């Protein structure tokens, strides 16, 4: 199956993988699990010459590391940034994007050591994860460049080191959260650093999409504004995995035009990419049930480890990572148990560094990880990657798959489908992955629910003036009037001032909208975690059984006024599931398409949801009881796509009035599950409501909406690609092998009505009707 070769920089012998033989081994006696195999061809390298301005010490260090010539895209990025042009580089995984910005950045830092204070030039590097910043620091430290004083500045940085970094470091590696909470509010303490700010690097910028992307866009505008206060105009460099339109995406984040470098000059080994579906077995209740994706992935990871194939298995949640690692250890032979580990957020920094080192030296042969390892951490030499369920976007799928084969040799990527409509669809429709471009990222920098709080933060940093519309856009003035009316800002002749005694950044999280709800251990008062405010009613209501970092907690009280949920640790032996009621009103239609008697619309909606009770369930699925809850209704002003269907048209395809709720509800669930294939969204970013008679339309109506205040762009993307999206939804339901509906097609893990009523057959008929009229009027 594989021949032995020595991996450069490693003391361990490494086997050259034969993907076909490995797939045969993994499939064993059940080849039916392997549904499709796709071959990704190798790519040849294209080199360029070193830029003439490269500092000699930097060039000597790079040559000493064996980098004889840069690749073409690296030089294109370096030349653009060195000339002062904002630039985004969007090339494949392991294409050496960092060298492109290291060349001008490090050259200028070395030149800046001649300044009286030793830092005539400084640079700021922003990454979405601590692991990526630490990895970048290790690469820079390994160059041993004279005068380059680089340091990570994040939540793990000791207090006594922070002052030294502010006063002496010329390269600070941090994240947007620390810029938001620390650097910008305390910019006076960073004055020396900001005066010399030459470069700002935003790594893995494809991660910043939806509401998170809108937050980053606001932070970058605030950073540009504060830097200008110190007469600095830094050059911004964005690095990204392949996205549909990197130039548009990066320019929306920055608020300024830039150039894009997309031609990849790096070599790439051939990859075998396989699609895998866990089998259906008989459950404890006698009903057919698909084997859990985590269980299947853990078993596959064990088999790869036993074959000495170094493998990383990606799971979406921290708890899922622990499950995959535990199952792999249990099913691998005893001697391999110590060579299989888990890697996720929540570990101590030294634990993460040790795991990364062990992976590089092949002391570890199997690792279960969250996407913390997806984003650029250098773990060269992996043989295979397992993906436990859809990672959220097609871009993330290729990013994770690209972690294998980073030395230019053949590799294997194996996608293991989850029990979900999207996963089921893609393994049975390989064309949904292969041969199509990745999704366009969605960012709305003008989202008032995001921009408003950032304007308050900007006013606390430096009073706002009318000239600041150049940074924040024409939507600034109405939002400032609203903030003044609410007593948040004061209007003075010299501008708008922060009017309160607290800090605005303390009430604003970049990772979500609203103030997060803290989970507090009742006995000790220790904060063990947080959940976003939007999901707190359903996840941490009184009586909820909540899983956090693999540990089970029971919520004893949800204090909404204090944004706190009090919990005791322990497993009561059952799970809980919140039940809710929802309705919506159409605030304003922005666009519409008439599909004959049907109408498809996009616009502003107001969704009201109230969690009314929760169910207690045993692991077998048996319901122990339903318990009422007294929680207020939540109102969400957002954007959505909805379509209406006349009753007589539904009757013509066999859906009578009694059957409409089940058909519409099932179609709503499946369309929510499929939208992430067409927009850079997660299923949990999207909501839906369906009704057999909506008061605003007078007709049966199905709504899919963004689960974030003001909207996040996902529903709009669905509206733009409605035919493809709803066609894939129809196929996902129709091709599912179940009889009446299951989690692979129409059941939803987040349904507030307990997945009732649902009608699989009539959902297909409803979507067939929709698509027939839509296609007939597509050119209208």
């Amino acid at each position: 199956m594989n021949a032995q070769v020595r991996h450069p920089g490693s003391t361990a012998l490494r086997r050259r993988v034969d993907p076909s033989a490995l797939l045969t081994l993994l499939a064993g006696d059940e080849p039916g699990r392997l549904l499709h195999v796709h071959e990704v061809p190798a790519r040849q390298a294209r080199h360029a010459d070193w830029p003439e301005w490269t500092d000699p010490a930097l060039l000597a260090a790079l040559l000493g590391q064996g980098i004889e010539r840069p690749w073409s895209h690296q030089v294109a990025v370096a030349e653009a940034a060195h000339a002062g042009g904002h630039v985004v580089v969007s090339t494949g995984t392991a294409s050496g994007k960092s060298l492109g910005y290291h060349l001008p950045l490090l050259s200028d830092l070395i030149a800046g050591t001649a300044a009286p204070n030793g830092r005539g030039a400084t640079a700021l590097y922003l990454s979405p994860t601590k692991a990526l910043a630490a990895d970048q620091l290790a690469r820079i430290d390994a160059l041993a460049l004279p005068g380059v004083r680089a340091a990570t500045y994040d939540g793990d940085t000791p207090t006594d080191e922070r002052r030294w970094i502010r006063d002496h470091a010329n390269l600070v590696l941090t994240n947007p959260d620390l810029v938001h909470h620390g650097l910008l509010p305390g910019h006076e303490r960073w004055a020396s650093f900001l005066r010399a700010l030459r470069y700002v690097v935003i790594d893995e910028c494809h991660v910043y999409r939806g509401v998170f992307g809108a937050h980053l866009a606001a932070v970058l505008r605030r950073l540009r504004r504060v830097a200008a206060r110190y007469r600095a105009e830094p050059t911004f460099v964005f690095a990204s995995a392949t996205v549909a339109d990197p130039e548009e995406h990066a320019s929306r984040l920055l608020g300024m035009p830039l150039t894009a470098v997309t031609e990849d000059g790096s070599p790439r080994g051939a990859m075998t990419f396989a699609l895998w579906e866990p089998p259906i077995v008989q459950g404890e209740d006698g009903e057919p049930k698909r084997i859990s994706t985590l269980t299947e992935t853990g078993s596959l990871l064990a088999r790869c480890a036993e074959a000495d194939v170094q493998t990383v298995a990606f799971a979406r949640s921290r708890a899922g990572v622990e499950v995959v690692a535990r199952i792999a250890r249990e099913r691998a032979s005893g001697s391999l148990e110590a060579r299989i580990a888990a890697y996720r957020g929540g570990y101590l920094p030294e634990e993460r560094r040790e795991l990364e080192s062990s992976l590089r030296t092949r002391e570890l042969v199997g690792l279960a990880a969250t996407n913390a390892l997806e984003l650029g951490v250098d773990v060269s030499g992996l043989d295979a990657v397992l993906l436990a369920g859809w990672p959220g976007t097609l871009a993330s799928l290729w990013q994770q798959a690209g972690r294998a084969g980073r030395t230019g040799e053949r590799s294997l990527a194996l996608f293991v489908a989850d029990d979900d409509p999207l996963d089921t669809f893609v393994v049975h429709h390989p064309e949904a992955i292969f041969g199509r471009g990745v999704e366009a990222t969605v960012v709305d920098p003008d989202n008032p629910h995001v921009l408003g709080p950032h304007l308050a933060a900007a006013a606390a940093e430096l009073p706002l003036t009318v000239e600041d519309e150049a940074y924040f856009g024409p939507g600034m003035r109405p939002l400032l009037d609203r903030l003044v009316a609410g007593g948040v800002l004061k209007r003075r002749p010299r501008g708008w001032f922060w009017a309160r005694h607290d800090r605005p950044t303390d009430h604003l999280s970049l990772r979500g909208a609203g103030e997060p709800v803290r989970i507090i251990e009742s006995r000790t008062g220790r904060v063990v975690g947080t959940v976003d405010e939007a999901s707190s009613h359903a996840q941490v209501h009184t009586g909820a059984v909540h899983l956090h970092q693999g540990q089970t907690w029971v919520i004893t009280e949800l204090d909404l006024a204090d944004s706190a949920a009090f919990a005791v640790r322990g497993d009561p032996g059952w799970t809980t599931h919140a039940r809710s009621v929802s309705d919506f009103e159409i605030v304003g239609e922005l666009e519409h398409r008439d599909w004959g008697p049907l109408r498809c619309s996009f616009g502003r909606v107001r969704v009201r949801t109230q969690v009314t009770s929760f169910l207690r369930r045993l692991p077998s699925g048996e319901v122990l009881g339903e318990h009422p809850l007294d929680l207020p209704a939540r109102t969400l002003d957002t954007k959505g796509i909805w379509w209406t269907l006349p009753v007589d048209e539904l009757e013509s395809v066999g859906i009578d009035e009694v059957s409409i709720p089940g058909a519409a509800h099932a179609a709503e669930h499946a369309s929510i599950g499929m939208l992430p294939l067409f927009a850079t969204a997660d299923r949990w970013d999207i909501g839906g409501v369906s009704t057999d008679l909506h008061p605003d339309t007078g007709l049966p109506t199905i709504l899919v909406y963004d689960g974030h205040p003001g909207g996040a762009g996902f529903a709009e993307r669905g509206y733009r690609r409605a035919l493809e999206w709803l066609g894939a939804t129809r196929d996902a339901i129709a091709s599912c092998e179940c009889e009446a509906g299951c989690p692979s097609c129409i059941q939803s893990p987040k349904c507030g009505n307990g997945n009732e009523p649902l009608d699989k057959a009539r959902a297909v008929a409803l979507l067939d009707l929709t698509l027939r009229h839509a296609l007939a009027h597509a050119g209208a």
Side-chain angles (χ1 to χ4, degrees):
M1 181 179 69
N2 31 29
Q4 288 189 341
V5 297
R6 190 172 295 277
H7 172 53
S10 171
T11 57
L13 281 175
R14 181 174 181 274
R15 297 178 181 272
R16 179 175 286 124
V17 172
D18 178 347
S20 298
L22 180 57
L23 284 173
T24 300
L25 174 71
L26 295 177
D29 297 330
E30 297 189 58
R33 302 183 183 193
L34 182 62
L35 300 185
H36 183 79
V37 177
H38 178 81
E39 296 295 335
V40 180
R43 182 179 60 228
Q44 298 300 313
R46 283 182 286 120
H47 291 95
D49 294 328
W50 294 105
E52 294 180 358
W53 45 258
T54 305
D55 183 88
L58 172 58
L59 181 56
L62 294 170
L63 292 172
Q65 289 187 343
I67 305 174
E68 296 180 3
R69 294 182 69 197
W71 294 317
S72 57
H73 67 276
Q74 294 171 326
V75 173
V77 173
E79 293 285 10
H82 184 258
H86 308 304
V87 61
V88 56
V89 53
S90 179
T91 52
T93 308
S95 60
K97 291 182 283 288
S98 57
L99 181 60
Y101 53 78
H102 281 167
L103 285 172
L105 185 155
L106 295 174
S107 291
D108 283 5
L109 293 189
I110 295 171
T113 58
N117 66 353
R119 56 177 185 180
T122 61
L124 190 63
Y125 169 91
L126 306 182
S127 70
T129 67
K130 297 175 184 178
L132 184 51
D135 187 71
Q136 286 282 315
L137 179 63
R139 294 187 197 183
I140 292 166
D141 285 346
L143 295 171
L145 298 171
V148 174
R149 299 184 298 276
T152 54
Y153 191 96
D154 56 33
D156 296 332
T157 306
T159 304
D160 56 346
E161 290 184 19
R162 296 191 176 200
R163 181 189 293 266
W164 183 93
I165 292 171
R166 290 195 300 267
D167 293 342
H168 300 288
N170 52 14
L171 173 56
V172 174
L173 302 101
T174 184
N175 53 61
D177 309 82
L178 262 293
V179 173
H180 165 64
H181 288 291
L183 189 154
L184 291 174
H187 60 84
E188 296 91 348
R189 294 178 296 168
W190 289 84
S192 172
F193 181 89
L194 289 168
R195 283 192 190 97
L197 186 59
R198 185 78 54 86
Y199 295 99
V200 178
V201 176
I202 298 93
D203 207 353
E204 306 292 352
C205 70
H206 60 282
V207 171
Y208 303 108
R209 60 182 186 269
V211 171
F212 192 21
H215 279 298
L216 179 78
V219 168
L220 293 183
R221 284 156 177 75
R222 287 165 52 200
L223 176 59
R224 287 169 47 208
R225 178 173 174 265
V226 167
R229 156 70 176 78
Y230 296 95
R231 299 183 180 178
E233 294 184 8
T235 297
F236 286 81
V237 181
F238 294 80
S240 170
T242 303
V243 293
D245 192 340
E247 183 176 354
E248 179 186 0
H249 176 60
S251 65
R252 288 178 73 81
L253 289 175
L254 182 59
M256 299 174 72
L258 40 65
T259 58
V261 175
T262 57
E263 292 294 326
D264 196 333
S266 65
R268 169 82 216 187
M271 174 193 290
T272 298
F273 202 131
L275 306 182
W276 186 281
E277 186 173 43
I280 293 178
V281 297
Q282 190 174 41
E284 295 179 3
D285 55 1
E287 294 295 319
K289 180 181 180 181
R290 196 174 297 282
I291 289 178
S292 158
T293 303
L294 298 178
T295 300
E296 187 83 343
T297 304
S299 178
L300 290 168
L301 181 59
R303 289 185 228 167
C304 287
E306 288 180 337
D308 197 29
V309 174
Q310 192 180 40
T311 305
V312 167
F314 285 105
R316 296 192 60 183
S317 69
R318 294 177 174 184
V321 164
E322 299 288 359
V323 170
V324 170
R326 175 178 56 79
I327 290 172
R329 291 191 199 103
E330 290 173 354
R331 300 193 178 183
S333 59
S335 61
L336 282 172
E337 186 174 343
R339 299 185 66 196
I340 298 173
Y343 181 105
R344 58 168 176 79
Y347 286 177
L348 296 175
E350 53 268 28
E351 291 176 315
R352 294 198 299 269
R353 301 293 87 76
E354 184 178 349
L355 286 168
E356 291 162 19
S357 175
S358 298
L359 199 61
R360 293 187 185 105
T361 59
R362 289 187 62 83
E363 292 174 43
L364 284 178
V365 72
L367 189 71
T370 59
N371 68 351
L373 266 187
E374 170 191 330
L375 302 175
V377 177
D378 184 9
V379 286
S380 301
L382 295 178
D383 301 319
V385 164
L386 307 175
L387 297 91
W390 186 255
T393 67
L394 195 57
S396 286
L397 184 87
W398 286 108
Q399 184 85 347
Q400 291 181 2
R403 305 310 289 170
R406 292 172 68 90
T407 55
E409 298 173 12
R410 289 192 64 86
S411 60
L412 173 69
L414 184 65
F415 172 72
V416 184
D418 204 348
D419 214 4
D420 178 271
L422 192 153
D423 289 51
T424 302
F425 178 82
V426 297
V427 294
H428 290 278
H429 297 79
E431 67 278 5
I433 296 178
F434 309 115
R436 66 177 286 243
V438 298
E439 312 92 338
T441 49
V442 177
V443 177
D444 180 9
D446 301 318
N447 184 331
H449 297 268
V450 175
L451 183 57
H454 280 281
L455 288 172
E461 291 152 11
L462 295 167
L464 286 162
T465 66
V466 292
E467 287 77 17
D468 289 323
E469 277 193 359
Y471 297 106
F472 299 110
M476 182 184 84
R477 293 294 296 274
L479 289 173
L480 291 180
D481 293 341
R482 195 180 307 171
L483 291 169
V484 170
V488 176
L489 298 183
K490 288 183 179 178
R491 178 75 193 272
R492 295 286 184 263
R494 291 191 298 116
W496 289 265
F497 290 72
W498 175 244
R500 296 169 50 166
H501 297 294
D502 53 355
R503 294 186 355 148
T505 51
D506 292 340
H507 305 285
L508 177 59
S509 168
L510 302 189
R511 309 280 171 161
E515 186 172 353
V517 173
R518 296 160 295 146
I519 303 172
I520 300 173
E521 186 174 23
S522 299
R523 184 176 58 85
T524 64
R526 177 174 64 99
V527 176
V528 297
T530 61
V531 297
D532 62 278
E533 189 272 337
S535 59
S536 61
H537 289 207
Q539 290 190 20
V540 291
H541 57 76
T542 301
V545 176
H546 183 69
L547 189 66
H548 179 74
Q549 293 192 15
Q551 299 176 351
T552 302
W553 299 79
V554 177
I555 307 299
T556 58
E557 179 189 0
L558 173 59
D559 186 343
L560 295 174
D562 195 33
S563 295
F566 297 90
V568 295
R569 187 174 170 184
D571 187 350
W574 60 75
T575 59
T576 55
H577 185 87
R579 304 201 71 171
S580 61
V581 293
S582 299
D583 63 71
F584 71 97
E585 63 179 283
I586 297 169
V587 177
E589 183 185 70
L590 300 176
E591 296 183 52
H592 77 271
R593 297 172 187 151
D594 286 321
W595 292 338
L598 280 62
R599 185 181 181 100
C600 179
S601 305
F602 168 73
R604 294 187 296 271
V605 295
R606 179 169 296 126
V607 181
R608 279 181 292 268
T609 304
Q610 184 173 21
V611 175
T612 57
S613 64
F614 70 95
L615 301 177
R616 288 187 300 132
R617 278 200 182 104
L618 292 173
S620 64
E622 179 186 350
V623 175
L624 295 175
E626 182 172 359
H627 307 270
L629 291 168
D630 183 19
L631 288 169
R634 296 186 71 257
T635 300
L636 175 67
D637 288 303
T638 185
K639 292 176 181 174
I641 172 177
W642 65 93
W643 74 98
T644 57
L645 308 99
V647 174
D648 58 344
E649 288 287 329
L650 291 168
E651 287 181 343
S652 71
V653 294
I655 306 174
D656 57 24
E657 290 195 41
V658 176
S659 304
I660 291 174
H665 193 197
E668 169 218 323
H669 277 187
S671 60
I672 291 170
M674 292 304 298
L675 184 54
L677 191 61
F678 300 91
T680 47
D682 184 278
R683 181 173 185 146
W684 300 89
D685 289 325
I686 310 160
V689 185
S690 55
T691 175
D692 58 345
L693 178 63
H694 192 273
D696 291 339
T697 65
L699 294 168
T701 305
I702 299 172
L703 166 74
V704 175
Y705 62 87
D706 294 339
H708 299 277
F714 307 132
E716 182 175 5
R717 188 72 62 185
Y719 178 78
R720 304 283 172 228
R721 302 185 65 182
L723 281 176
E724 297 170 83
W725 167 41
L726 296 179
T729 301
R730 183 264 176 211
D731 291 346
I733 302 174
S735 63
C736 185
E737 53 199 278
C738 71
E739 291 186 13
C742 69
S744 292
C745 57
I746 60 173
Q747 292 180 6
S748 169
K750 52 185 277 192
C751 180
N753 295 320
N755 284 301
E756 295 177 356
L758 293 175
D759 190 324
K760 176 180 176 179
R762 289 184 172 88
V764 173
L766 182 151
L767 289 164
D768 279 337
L769 172 69
T770 301
L771 290 164
R772 186 173 73 248
H773 284 296
L775 287 167
H777 294 82

